Amino acid sequence: MGFQLANIDGRSALVDGDHYFDIATISEGALPSDPMLALARSAELTTLAKTLAGSTPTGALADVVLGPPVPHPQKSFAIGLNYLDHAAEGSMEVPANPLVFTKFPSCLTGPFADVEMRSDYCDYEGELVVVIGRRGKDIPAENAWDHVIGVMVGQDISDRKAQFAAKPPHFDLGKSFDTFGPIGPALVSLDGIGDPRELRIVTSVNGETRQDDTVANMVFDVPTVIAYLSQITTLVSGDIIFTGTPSGIGAVHGKFLADGDVITTTIAGVGTLVNRCVRVSDHTSPGDNIDAGS
Ligand code: ZN
C-alpha cells in the first residue's frame, strides 16, 4: 500500500485521504519531522503508514498549505529532450546520451504555489520526478529502482527567453527562476503506485489539455538515467530527477503562459499539481541593449 509523504509548514506528514498525520507526533518522536531526514527512513514510514487507520489525524489537508515534499535536495537534476515526440516537435535531434541540466533546489516550490514569471516567454513542462532514497555510486541499471524511494509530479517551468539568451542555450538558468519547480503534492512511495514505467502524465492550461503521454515513451528510462548519473556523482537520499517532458509545450505552438493562467499537471495514481501563473517584473540580460540597437 505504501505511503504518501507531504511537507506541511516544514514538517513531515503522512497523508491518508483528505487528512494528514504529523509523523513526529504519531511516531512519538521516533521519526524526524524534517522532511529531508524523514524520507531517508523508508522502511519505518511504511510501517507507520499501516497504523494510520487507528490514529487521530493532525488535521485536514484543506486547512493547510503544502510545501515541496523534498524541499532541500542536495542535487536536483533534469533531463532535456527525453521524449521522442517532444524532440521532434522542436525540430531537435534526439540526444545520443541523456541531456542533463540542473534545476537549482532554490526553484522548488509547493504543489499549489504560484509561479512568478519575469517575461512573456514562460512555458510549462509536466514531468515525472523520481526521488532517490538509498545512496549509491555506480548503480547498475538493473538495481536502479531499489535506490528510488518514490515519485512526485513536477513542473519544469521554463523561461525560454532566458534559456535561449546564450548559444548554446543555458538550460540551468532559464529553468531555475524562483518558483519554477512545483513538486508534489506528496512523495508517493513506489509500492503505492502502479508500474512506474507506465504512468500517464497530462498537463492542461486553463482546462485545455496540452500534454498527454506515458513515461513508457521516454528516450532514456529512469534506470538508464540513474546508472549514468551515479557513475559521475554519488546519488544520496533526497536527490531528485525531473525525467523530461512529453510533446505539447507552449513554445512550439506560440502558447506561452500568461498572467492568471492555471497549469494543472496530473499523473494518475501519484497526484495533481495546480499552479497559477503570476506575471511580475521583467528580467533583463546584458545583451538586451545590443538587440535593441542601442
Ligand atoms: Zn523539462
Side-chain angles (χ1 to χ4, degrees):
M1 63 169 264
F3 59 83
Q4 296 187 34
L5 192 63
N7 170 3
I8 296 167
D9 291 331
R11 293 177 66 90
S12 200
L14 287 172
V15 170
D16 186 26
D18 297 332
H19 291 88
Y20 69 94
F21 301 75
D22 184 272
I23 69 161
T25 304
I26 58 165
S27 71
E28 296 176 338
L31 285 170
S33 64
D34 180 331
M36 297 308 300
L37 298 177
L39 64 84
R41 309 279 285 270
S42 170
E44 290 149 286
L45 291 171
T46 301
T47 304
L48 192 61
K50 291 177 182 154
T51 71
L52 295 185
S55 303
T56 306
T58 308
L61 286 175
D63 297 334
V64 295
V65 177
L66 293 177
V70 184
H72 308 293
Q74 184 191 86
K75 297 184 286 297
S76 168
F77 300 100
I79 313 298
L81 303 175
N82 203 26
Y83 285 76
L84 284 174
D85 288 353
H86 173 50
E89 73 176 349
S91 306
M92 308 278 250
E93 224 173 285
V94 176
N97 289 296
L99 172 60
V100 182
F101 59 94
T102 292
K103 281 180 81 71
F104 304 151
S106 52
C107 82
L108 298 174
T109 191
F112 308 113
D114 288 352
V115 169
E116 296 185 358
M117 308 189 300
R118 293 180 182 272
S119 84
D120 295 325
Y121 300 95
C122 292
D123 206 349
Y124 52 85
E125 296 190 353
E127 310 202 357
L128 173 72
V129 178
V130 299
V131 184
I132 299 297
R134 188 152 61 83
R135 69 183 286 132
K137 175 81 172 167
D138 296 320
I139 299 169
E142 56 267 32
N143 298 342
W145 284 112
D146 297 342
H147 291 261
V148 175
I149 182 176
V151 302
M152 305 179 288
V153 185
Q155 257 299 335
D156 175 19
I157 304 288
S158 310
D159 183 314
R160 305 297 183 197
K161 182 180 175 222
Q163 183 181 352
F164 294 100
K167 287 178 190 167
H170 43 197
F171 282 38
D172 302 351
L173 289 185
K175 291 159 171 280
S176 288
F177 284 68
D178 291 351
T179 74
F180 272 23
I183 50 174
L187 163 57
V188 182
S189 64
L190 277 189
D191 50 356
I193 58 174
D195 187 338
R197 297 164 301 181
E198 299 290 339
L199 298 169
R200 180 177 170 203
I201 312 180
V202 179
T203 300
S204 68
V205 177
N206 302 333
E208 178 188 79
T209 300
R210 300 284 182 87
Q211 298 184 291
D212 186 349
D213 204 348
T214 77
V215 302
N217 291 322
M218 282 183 190
V219 178
F220 300 103
D221 64 11
V222 170
T224 301
V225 169
I226 287 176
Y228 182 58
L229 293 175
S230 72
Q231 292 174 45
I232 295 161
T233 179
T234 301
L235 297 180
V236 302
S237 170
D239 283 350
I240 65 174
I241 306 168
F242 286 74
T243 56
T245 201
S247 64
I249 60 164
V252 171
H253 307 284
K255 291 183 173 178
F256 291 105
L257 294 165
D259 186 52
D261 280 355
V262 175
I263 312 164
T264 305
T265 317
T266 298
I267 298 180
V270 179
T272 295
L273 310 179
V274 181
N275 303 102
R276 189 170 61 101
C277 300
V278 181
R279 183 68 167 86
V280 296
S281 59
D282 291 340
H283 72 79
T284 60
S285 304
D288 286 351
N289 292 339
I290 297 167
D291 289 339
S294 56

PDB file of all heavy atoms in Angstrom, residues 65-91:
ATOM      1  N   VAL A  65      -1.300  24.607   3.874  1.00  0.00           N
ATOM      2  CA  VAL A  65      -0.595  24.848   2.620  1.00  0.00           C
ATOM      3  C   VAL A  65       0.535  23.829   2.513  1.00  0.00           C
ATOM      4  O   VAL A  65       1.375  23.742   3.413  1.00  0.00           O
ATOM      5  CB  VAL A  65      -0.015  26.278   2.581  1.00  0.00           C
ATOM      6  CG1 VAL A  65       0.789  26.483   1.297  1.00  0.00           C
ATOM      7  CG2 VAL A  65      -1.131  27.310   2.683  1.00  0.00           C
ATOM      8  N   LEU A  66       0.513  23.062   1.442  1.00  0.00           N
ATOM      9  CA  LEU A  66       1.555  22.046   1.260  1.00  0.00           C
ATOM     10  C   LEU A  66       2.810  22.675   0.662  1.00  0.00           C
ATOM     11  O   LEU A  66       2.738  23.437  -0.302  1.00  0.00           O
ATOM     12  CB  LEU A  66       1.072  20.932   0.328  1.00  0.00           C
ATOM     13  CG  LEU A  66      -0.068  20.046   0.839  1.00  0.00           C
ATOM     14  CD1 LEU A  66      -0.473  19.045  -0.243  1.00  0.00           C
ATOM     15  CD2 LEU A  66       0.369  19.303   2.088  1.00  0.00           C
ATOM     16  N   GLY A  67       3.953  22.334   1.255  1.00  0.00           N
ATOM     17  CA  GLY A  67       5.230  22.738   0.681  1.00  0.00           C
ATOM     18  C   GLY A  67       5.755  21.638  -0.223  1.00  0.00           C
ATOM     19  O   GLY A  67       5.119  20.592  -0.380  1.00  0.00           O
ATOM     20  N   PRO A  68       6.927  21.868  -0.831  1.00  0.00           N
ATOM     21  CA  PRO A  68       7.505  20.803  -1.658  1.00  0.00           C
ATOM     22  C   PRO A  68       7.887  19.615  -0.783  1.00  0.00           C
ATOM     23  O   PRO A  68       8.545  19.806   0.238  1.00  0.00           O
ATOM     24  CB  PRO A  68       8.752  21.468  -2.273  1.00  0.00           C
ATOM     25  CG  PRO A  68       9.058  22.646  -1.413  1.00  0.00           C
ATOM     26  CD  PRO A  68       7.768  23.078  -0.787  1.00  0.00           C
ATOM     27  N   PRO A  69       7.482  18.392  -1.148  1.00  0.00           N
ATOM     28  CA  PRO A  69       7.781  17.228  -0.311  1.00  0.00           C
ATOM     29  C   PRO A  69       9.277  17.031  -0.088  1.00  0.00           C
ATOM     30  O   PRO A  69       9.684  16.514   0.944  1.00  0.00           O
ATOM     31  CB  PRO A  69       7.195  16.059  -1.111  1.00  0.00           C
ATOM     32  CG  PRO A  69       6.169  16.662  -1.992  1.00  0.00           C
ATOM     33  CD  PRO A  69       6.659  18.039  -2.328  1.00  0.00           C
ATOM     34  N   VAL A  70      10.068  17.433  -1.072  1.00  0.00           N
ATOM     35  CA  VAL A  70      11.532  17.368  -0.942  1.00  0.00           C
ATOM     36  C   VAL A  70      12.037  18.810  -1.052  1.00  0.00           C
ATOM     37  O   VAL A  70      12.320  19.306  -2.137  1.00  0.00           O
ATOM     38  CB  VAL A  70      12.139  16.481  -2.050  1.00  0.00           C
ATOM     39  CG1 VAL A  70      13.650  16.345  -1.856  1.00  0.00           C
ATOM     40  CG2 VAL A  70      11.476  15.109  -2.068  1.00  0.00           C
ATOM     41  N   PRO A  71      12.148  19.524   0.072  1.00  0.00           N
ATOM     42  CA  PRO A  71      12.403  20.967  -0.004  1.00  0.00           C
ATOM     43  C   PRO A  71      13.857  21.356  -0.273  1.00  0.00           C
ATOM     44  O   PRO A  71      14.110  22.404  -0.870  1.00  0.00           O
ATOM     45  CB  PRO A  71      11.966  21.476   1.368  1.00  0.00           C
ATOM     46  CG  PRO A  71      12.029  20.291   2.272  1.00  0.00           C
ATOM     47  CD  PRO A  71      11.793  19.072   1.426  1.00  0.00           C
ATOM     48  N   HIS A  72      14.809  20.510   0.146  1.00  0.00           N
ATOM     49  CA  HIS A  72      16.218  20.912   0.034  1.00  0.00           C
ATOM     50  C   HIS A  72      17.104  19.771  -0.443  1.00  0.00           C
ATOM     51  O   HIS A  72      17.992  19.326   0.277  1.00  0.00           O
ATOM     52  CB  HIS A  72      16.741  21.401   1.390  1.00  0.00           C
ATOM     53  CG  HIS A  72      15.902  22.443   2.039  1.00  0.00           C
ATOM     54  ND1 HIS A  72      15.759  23.713   1.513  1.00  0.00           N
ATOM     55  CD2 HIS A  72      15.127  22.409   3.152  1.00  0.00           C
ATOM     56  CE1 HIS A  72      14.943  24.414   2.290  1.00  0.00           C
ATOM     57  NE2 HIS A  72      14.544  23.645   3.280  1.00  0.00           N
ATOM     58  N   PRO A  73      16.860  19.268  -1.653  1.00  0.00           N
ATOM     59  CA  PRO A  73      17.723  18.165  -2.113  1.00  0.00           C
ATOM     60  C   PRO A  73      19.159  18.641  -2.295  1.00  0.00           C
ATOM     61  O   PRO A  73      19.390  19.802  -2.645  1.00  0.00           O
ATOM     62  CB  PRO A  73      17.098  17.780  -3.459  1.00  0.00           C
ATOM     63  CG  PRO A  73      16.394  19.001  -3.924  1.00  0.00           C
ATOM     64  CD  PRO A  73      15.912  19.711  -2.690  1.00  0.00           C
ATOM     65  N   GLN A  74      20.083  17.738  -2.059  1.00  0.00           N
ATOM     66  CA  GLN A  74      21.480  18.096  -2.351  1.00  0.00           C
ATOM     67  C   GLN A  74      21.639  18.344  -3.846  1.00  0.00           C
ATOM     68  O   GLN A  74      22.329  19.253  -4.272  1.00  0.00           O
ATOM     69  CB  GLN A  74      22.408  16.958  -1.903  1.00  0.00           C
ATOM     70  CG  GLN A  74      23.883  17.271  -2.084  1.00  0.00           C
ATOM     71  CD  GLN A  74      24.754  16.036  -1.894  1.00  0.00           C
ATOM     72  OE1 GLN A  74      24.989  15.250  -2.827  1.00  0.00           O
ATOM     73  NE2 GLN A  74      25.223  15.837  -0.671  1.00  0.00           N
ATOM     74  N   LYS A  75      20.971  17.507  -4.668  1.00  0.00           N
ATOM     75  CA  LYS A  75      21.070  17.661  -6.120  1.00  0.00           C
ATOM     76  C   LYS A  75      19.687  17.556  -6.765  1.00  0.00           C
ATOM     77  O   LYS A  75      18.872  16.737  -6.357  1.00  0.00           O
ATOM     78  CB  LYS A  75      21.995  16.575  -6.708  1.00  0.00           C
ATOM     79  CG  LYS A  75      23.433  16.706  -6.185  1.00  0.00           C
ATOM     80  CD  LYS A  75      24.391  15.714  -6.830  1.00  0.00           C
ATOM     81  CE  LYS A  75      24.258  14.296  -6.370  1.00  0.00           C
ATOM     82  NZ  LYS A  75      24.540  14.080  -4.934  1.00  0.00           N
ATOM     83  N   SER A  76      19.474  18.401  -7.756  1.00  0.00           N
ATOM     84  CA  SER A  76      18.199  18.418  -8.471  1.00  0.00           C
ATOM     85  C   SER A  76      18.501  18.397  -9.967  1.00  0.00           C
ATOM     86  O   SER A  76      18.860  19.414 -10.546  1.00  0.00           O
ATOM     87  CB  SER A  76      17.420  19.677  -8.068  1.00  0.00           C
ATOM     88  OG  SER A  76      16.316  19.880  -8.914  1.00  0.00           O
ATOM     89  N   PHE A  77      18.394  17.215 -10.547  1.00  0.00           N
ATOM     90  CA  PHE A  77      18.704  17.037 -11.967  1.00  0.00           C
ATOM     91  C   PHE A  77      17.438  17.160 -12.817  1.00  0.00           C
ATOM     92  O   PHE A  77      16.328  16.956 -12.319  1.00  0.00           O
ATOM     93  CB  PHE A  77      19.253  15.630 -12.229  1.00  0.00           C
ATOM     94  CG  PHE A  77      20.506  15.284 -11.486  1.00  0.00           C
ATOM     95  CD1 PHE A  77      20.447  14.515 -10.332  1.00  0.00           C
ATOM     96  CD2 PHE A  77      21.744  15.704 -11.947  1.00  0.00           C
ATOM     97  CE1 PHE A  77      21.608  14.166  -9.648  1.00  0.00           C
ATOM     98  CE2 PHE A  77      22.909  15.358 -11.276  1.00  0.00           C
ATOM     99  CZ  PHE A  77      22.837  14.592 -10.118  1.00  0.00           C
ATOM    100  N   ALA A  78      17.639  17.445 -14.080  1.00  0.00           N
ATOM    101  CA  ALA A  78      16.535  17.357 -15.039  1.00  0.00           C
ATOM    102  C   ALA A  78      17.099  16.845 -16.361  1.00  0.00           C
ATOM    103  O   ALA A  78      18.281  17.039 -16.664  1.00  0.00           O
ATOM    104  CB  ALA A  78      15.868  18.706 -15.221  1.00  0.00           C
ATOM    105  N   ILE A  79      16.240  16.177 -17.127  1.00  0.00           N
ATOM    106  CA  ILE A  79      16.656  15.596 -18.403  1.00  0.00           C
ATOM    107  C   ILE A  79      15.911  16.316 -19.526  1.00  0.00           C
ATOM    108  O   ILE A  79      14.683  16.430 -19.488  1.00  0.00           O
ATOM    109  CB  ILE A  79      16.334  14.078 -18.463  1.00  0.00           C
ATOM    110  CG1 ILE A  79      16.794  13.370 -17.185  1.00  0.00           C
ATOM    111  CG2 ILE A  79      16.968  13.453 -19.698  1.00  0.00           C
ATOM    112  CD1 ILE A  79      18.272  13.423 -16.906  1.00  0.00           C
ATOM    113  N   GLY A  80      16.670  16.800 -20.502  1.00  0.00           N
ATOM    114  CA  GLY A  80      16.078  17.509 -21.635  1.00  0.00           C
ATOM    115  C   GLY A  80      15.820  16.567 -22.798  1.00  0.00           C
ATOM    116  O   GLY A  80      16.514  15.554 -22.960  1.00  0.00           O
ATOM    117  N   LEU A  81      14.809  16.901 -23.603  1.00  0.00           N
ATOM    118  CA  LEU A  81      14.512  16.162 -24.839  1.00  0.00           C
ATOM    119  C   LEU A  81      14.462  14.655 -24.620  1.00  0.00           C
ATOM    120  O   LEU A  81      15.075  13.896 -25.343  1.00  0.00           O
ATOM    121  CB  LEU A  81      15.566  16.503 -25.913  1.00  0.00           C
ATOM    122  CG  LEU A  81      15.711  17.989 -26.248  1.00  0.00           C
ATOM    123  CD1 LEU A  81      16.859  18.204 -27.227  1.00  0.00           C
ATOM    124  CD2 LEU A  81      14.412  18.535 -26.845  1.00  0.00           C
ATOM    125  N   ASN A  82      13.708  14.252 -23.600  1.00  0.00           N
ATOM    126  CA  ASN A  82      13.705  12.824 -23.252  1.00  0.00           C
ATOM    127  C   ASN A  82      12.460  12.077 -23.731  1.00  0.00           C
ATOM    128  O   ASN A  82      12.218  10.952 -23.321  1.00  0.00           O
ATOM    129  CB  ASN A  82      13.896  12.652 -21.737  1.00  0.00           C
ATOM    130  CG  ASN A  82      14.441  11.280 -21.392  1.00  0.00           C
ATOM    131  OD1 ASN A  82      15.104  10.646 -22.221  1.00  0.00           O
ATOM    132  ND2 ASN A  82      14.160  10.803 -20.195  1.00  0.00           N
ATOM    133  N   TYR A  83      11.668  12.726 -24.593  1.00  0.00           N
ATOM    134  CA  TYR A  83      10.550  12.017 -25.238  1.00  0.00           C
ATOM    135  C   TYR A  83      10.691  12.261 -26.744  1.00  0.00           C
ATOM    136  O   TYR A  83      10.928  13.398 -27.174  1.00  0.00           O
ATOM    137  CB  TYR A  83       9.191  12.549 -24.767  1.00  0.00           C
ATOM    138  CG  TYR A  83       8.795  12.118 -23.366  1.00  0.00           C
ATOM    139  CD1 TYR A  83       9.378  12.704 -22.246  1.00  0.00           C
ATOM    140  CD2 TYR A  83       7.834  11.133 -23.175  1.00  0.00           C
ATOM    141  CE1 TYR A  83       9.013  12.320 -20.962  1.00  0.00           C
ATOM    142  CE2 TYR A  83       7.448  10.741 -21.898  1.00  0.00           C
ATOM    143  CZ  TYR A  83       8.044  11.339 -20.792  1.00  0.00           C
ATOM    144  OH  TYR A  83       7.675  10.955 -19.529  1.00  0.00           O
ATOM    145  N   LEU A  84      10.521  11.215 -27.521  1.00  0.00           N
ATOM    146  CA  LEU A  84      10.735  11.318 -28.965  1.00  0.00           C
ATOM    147  C   LEU A  84       9.874  12.407 -29.599  1.00  0.00           C
ATOM    148  O   LEU A  84      10.363  13.231 -30.366  1.00  0.00           O
ATOM    149  CB  LEU A  84      10.413   9.972 -29.636  1.00  0.00           C
ATOM    150  CG  LEU A  84      11.464   8.874 -29.462  1.00  0.00           C
ATOM    151  CD1 LEU A  84      10.939   7.572 -30.051  1.00  0.00           C
ATOM    152  CD2 LEU A  84      12.780   9.270 -30.123  1.00  0.00           C
ATOM    153  N   ASP A  85       8.584  12.423 -29.246  1.00  0.00           N
ATOM    154  CA  ASP A  85       7.670  13.395 -29.856  1.00  0.00           C
ATOM    155  C   ASP A  85       8.056  14.825 -29.495  1.00  0.00           C
ATOM    156  O   ASP A  85       7.886  15.748 -30.288  1.00  0.00           O
ATOM    157  CB  ASP A  85       6.228  13.144 -29.400  1.00  0.00           C
ATOM    158  CG  ASP A  85       5.644  11.896 -30.032  1.00  0.00           C
ATOM    159  OD1 ASP A  85       6.313  11.325 -30.917  1.00  0.00           O
ATOM    160  OD2 ASP A  85       4.538  11.495 -29.629  1.00  0.00           O
ATOM    161  N   HIS A  86       8.567  15.003 -28.269  1.00  0.00           N
ATOM    162  CA  HIS A  86       8.953  16.346 -27.824  1.00  0.00           C
ATOM    163  C   HIS A  86      10.178  16.829 -28.594  1.00  0.00           C
ATOM    164  O   HIS A  86      10.253  17.989 -29.013  1.00  0.00           O
ATOM    165  CB  HIS A  86       9.211  16.339 -26.322  1.00  0.00           C
ATOM    166  CG  HIS A  86       9.774  17.613 -25.792  1.00  0.00           C
ATOM    167  ND1 HIS A  86       9.212  18.850 -26.072  1.00  0.00           N
ATOM    168  CD2 HIS A  86      10.851  17.870 -25.003  1.00  0.00           C
ATOM    169  CE1 HIS A  86       9.925  19.793 -25.466  1.00  0.00           C
ATOM    170  NE2 HIS A  86      10.925  19.225 -24.819  1.00  0.00           N
ATOM    171  N   ALA A  87      11.150  15.951 -28.809  1.00  0.00           N
ATOM    172  CA  ALA A  87      12.330  16.332 -29.594  1.00  0.00           C
ATOM    173  C   ALA A  87      11.901  16.691 -31.011  1.00  0.00           C
ATOM    174  O   ALA A  87      12.346  17.681 -31.592  1.00  0.00           O
ATOM    175  CB  ALA A  87      13.348  15.198 -29.603  1.00  0.00           C
ATOM    176  N   ALA A  88      10.979  15.901 -31.552  1.00  0.00           N
ATOM    177  CA  ALA A  88      10.532  16.126 -32.935  1.00  0.00           C
ATOM    178  C   ALA A  88       9.785  17.448 -33.071  1.00  0.00           C
ATOM    179  O   ALA A  88       9.985  18.192 -34.026  1.00  0.00           O
ATOM    180  CB  ALA A  88       9.639  14.967 -33.381  1.00  0.00           C
ATOM    181  N   GLU A  89       8.933  17.780 -32.082  1.00  0.00           N
ATOM    182  CA  GLU A  89       8.122  19.000 -32.210  1.00  0.00           C
ATOM    183  C   GLU A  89       8.999  20.238 -32.201  1.00  0.00           C
ATOM    184  O   GLU A  89       8.644  21.271 -32.759  1.00  0.00           O
ATOM    185  CB  GLU A  89       7.068  19.092 -31.089  1.00  0.00           C
ATOM    186  CG  GLU A  89       7.630  19.431 -29.717  1.00  0.00           C
ATOM    187  CD  GLU A  89       6.547  19.605 -28.645  1.00  0.00           C
ATOM    188  OE1 GLU A  89       5.364  19.662 -28.990  1.00  0.00           O
ATOM    189  OE2 GLU A  89       6.938  19.676 -27.466  1.00  0.00           O
ATOM    190  N   GLY A  90      10.168  20.156 -31.557  1.00  0.00           N
ATOM    191  CA  GLY A  90      11.072  21.302 -31.525  1.00  0.00           C
ATOM    192  C   GLY A  90      12.129  21.218 -32.607  1.00  0.00           C
ATOM    193  O   GLY A  90      13.082  21.989 -32.616  1.00  0.00           O
ATOM    194  N   SER A  91      11.965  20.266 -33.538  1.00  0.00           N
ATOM    195  CA  SER A  91      12.941  20.028 -34.605  1.00  0.00           C
ATOM    196  C   SER A  91      14.339  19.844 -34.029  1.00  0.00           C
ATOM    197  O   SER A  91      15.331  20.294 -34.598  1.00  0.00           O
ATOM    198  CB  SER A  91      12.946  21.174 -35.628  1.00  0.00           C
ATOM    199  OG  SER A  91      11.650  21.384 -36.114  1.00  0.00           O
TER     200      SER A  91
END
